[in-house]
């Protein structure tokens, strides 16, 4: 039978050699502990820098979303003006048809003569309401614009990814209860607080982006309805123009 005990671990000797002190006073263990501390700081700093970059990209996305929203609102205003012009053309065409009828027959002329002249008024809107950007999009744009200063601070050309001494000094401003929740090492505590702050900002930014997206969706749906209404009006106007042109040629 083997002389080795049943619980013998063949790798135990290697582990003992790895953790054995390299010299008097356990210098090897102290070096290993120092290395682990530096590695923790390095990884935590990398995480803080990563959250800072992510936050900067989030602000950039939010800025682009606001610009897209403003352009969509301008497009809605242009569509509304176009619809008003089509309504005006339709009213002018009806006036022209009335004059053509008076020219074609004496009876039509007499009818138009005795018929009360319609008062001057604005073109009929044919059920088209006044254009206003939806309230959800407006509120989202206002909320996002308030963060524009933060975007400027976090812009890649303006921000610094390294954690400055000011970030570490801010660690002393937290309450004692919050301080107990973080590591006691000053640098490590500052990194953890920076990560938590960035994550809170990212959460708020994602919420604002969601509001922008929902507002854009509502605005696009409303403008789709406006385009459908405008398309039908243009088709009807085209038919009326052709009929009027045919009547003029028959005079």
């Amino acid at each position: 039978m083997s002389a080795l005990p049943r619980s013998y671990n063949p790798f135990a000797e290697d582990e003992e050699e790895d953790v054995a002190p390299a010299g008097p006073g356990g210098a090897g263990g102290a070096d290993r502990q120092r290395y682990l501390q530096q590695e923790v700081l390095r990884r935590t700093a990398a995480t803080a820098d990563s959250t800072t970059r992510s936050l900067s990209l989030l602000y950039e996305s939010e800025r682009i979303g606001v610009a897209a929203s403003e352009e969509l609102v301008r497009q809605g205003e242009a569509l509304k003006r176009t619809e008003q012009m089509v309504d005006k053309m339709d009213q002018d065409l009806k006036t022209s048809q009335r004059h053509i009828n008076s020219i074609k027959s004496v009876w039509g002329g007499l009818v138009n003569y005795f018929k009360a002249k319609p008062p001057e008024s604005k073109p009929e809107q044919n059920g088209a309401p006044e254009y206003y950007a939806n309230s959800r999009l407006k509120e989202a744009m206002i909320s996002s614009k308030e963060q524009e200063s933060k975007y400027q601070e976090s812009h890649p050309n303006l921000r610094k990814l390294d954690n400055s001494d000011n970030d570490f000094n801010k660690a002393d401003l937290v309450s004692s209860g919050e301080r107990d929740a973080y590591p006691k090492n000053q640098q490590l505590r500052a990194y953890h607080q920076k990560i938590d702050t960035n994550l809170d900002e990212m959460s708020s930014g994602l919420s604002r982006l969601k509001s922008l997206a929902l507002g854009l969706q509502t605005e696009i749906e409303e403008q789709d309805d406006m385009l459908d209404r405008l398309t039908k009006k243009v088709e009807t106007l085209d038919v009326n123009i052709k009929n009027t042109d045919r009547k003029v040629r028959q005079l």
Side-chain angles (χ1 to χ4, degrees), residues 16-49:
E16 290 177 358
E17 292 177 358
D18 292 339
V19 300
D31 290 342
R32 182 176 179 79
Q33 184 177 7
R34 191 181 307 109
Y35 167 76
L36 291 176
Q37 290 176 348
Q38 292 175 352
E39 184 67 13
V40 169
L41 280 174
R42 185 184 68 80
R43 291 179 180 272
T44 307
T47 303
D49 291 344

Side-chain angles (χ1 to χ4, degrees), residues 30-238:
D31 290 342
R32 182 176 179 79
Q33 184 177 7
R34 191 181 307 109
Y35 167 76
L36 291 176
Q37 290 176 348
Q38 292 175 352
E39 184 67 13
V40 169
L41 280 174
R42 185 184 68 80
R43 291 179 180 272
T44 307
T47 303
D49 291 344
S50 177
T51 57
T52 300
R53 287 190 295 269
S54 299
L55 188 59
S56 177
L57 293 174
L58 186 62
Y59 286 145
E60 174 70 10
S61 301
E62 194 171 357
R63 186 184 67 86
I64 294 174
V66 171
S69 301
E70 292 175 342
E71 183 62 30
L72 191 62
V73 170
R74 285 193 291 269
Q75 175 180 297
E77 294 172 350
L79 284 174
K80 182 59 183 179
R81 288 194 298 270
T82 302
E83 188 173 13
Q84 290 174 345
M85 291 175 60
V86 171
D87 290 337
K88 178 67 165 58
M89 292 173 64
D90 183 67
Q91 185 179 15
D92 292 341
L93 189 60
K94 290 179 180 178
T95 303
S96 300
Q97 290 175 344
R98 187 171 63 252
H99 292 322
I100 292 173
N101 292 333
S102 65
I103 294 173
K104 287 182 64 176
S105 64
V106 177
W107 174 252
L110 291 175
V111 170
N112 287 334
Y113 179 80
F114 289 105
K115 189 176 181 180
K117 184 178 179 181
E120 295 292 335
S121 61
K122 294 183 179 180
E124 297 178 2
Q125 297 301 316
N126 296 336
E130 290 295 328
Y131 173 77
Y132 297 103
N134 69 85
S135 58
R136 171 179 288 180
L137 182 59
K138 280 186 175 181
E139 293 174 358
M141 290 172 62
I142 293 173
S143 178
S144 294
K145 284 183 177 180
E146 292 176 351
Q147 308 300 318
E148 188 173 357
S149 60
K150 292 184 178 180
Y151 162 73
Q152 295 295 337
E153 293 173 359
S154 64
H155 193 276
N157 294 332
L158 302 177
R159 65 183 172 84
K160 294 182 179 180
L161 291 179
D162 58 330
N163 294 275
S164 61
D165 294 338
N166 292 333
D167 294 329
F168 299 139
N169 293 334
K170 291 177 182 177
D172 298 331
L173 300 179
V174 298
S175 64
S176 58
E178 293 176 343
R179 188 180 296 111
D180 293 339
Y182 292 103
K184 293 183 178 181
N185 182 281
Q186 183 179 6
Q187 285 186 326
L188 192 59
R189 182 168 66 247
Y191 284 135
H192 277 257
Q193 289 174 348
K194 187 175 183 64
I195 292 171
D196 287 348
T197 300
N198 287 344
L199 290 176
D200 289 340
E201 288 291 334
M202 290 171 64
S203 176
S204 300
L206 288 172
S207 177
R208 292 192 301 271
L209 275 178
K210 179 182 178 181
S211 298
L212 273 175
L214 293 175
L216 284 169
Q217 179 183 5
T218 304
E219 183 68 19
I220 290 172
E221 290 174 353
E222 292 179 356
Q223 291 192 20
D224 282 343
D225 295 338
M226 189 184 301
L227 282 171
D228 292 340
R229 188 171 63 245
L230 181 58
T231 300
K232 293 178 181 178
K233 289 184 178 181
V234 171
E235 291 175 351
T236 302
L237 181 63
D238 182 63

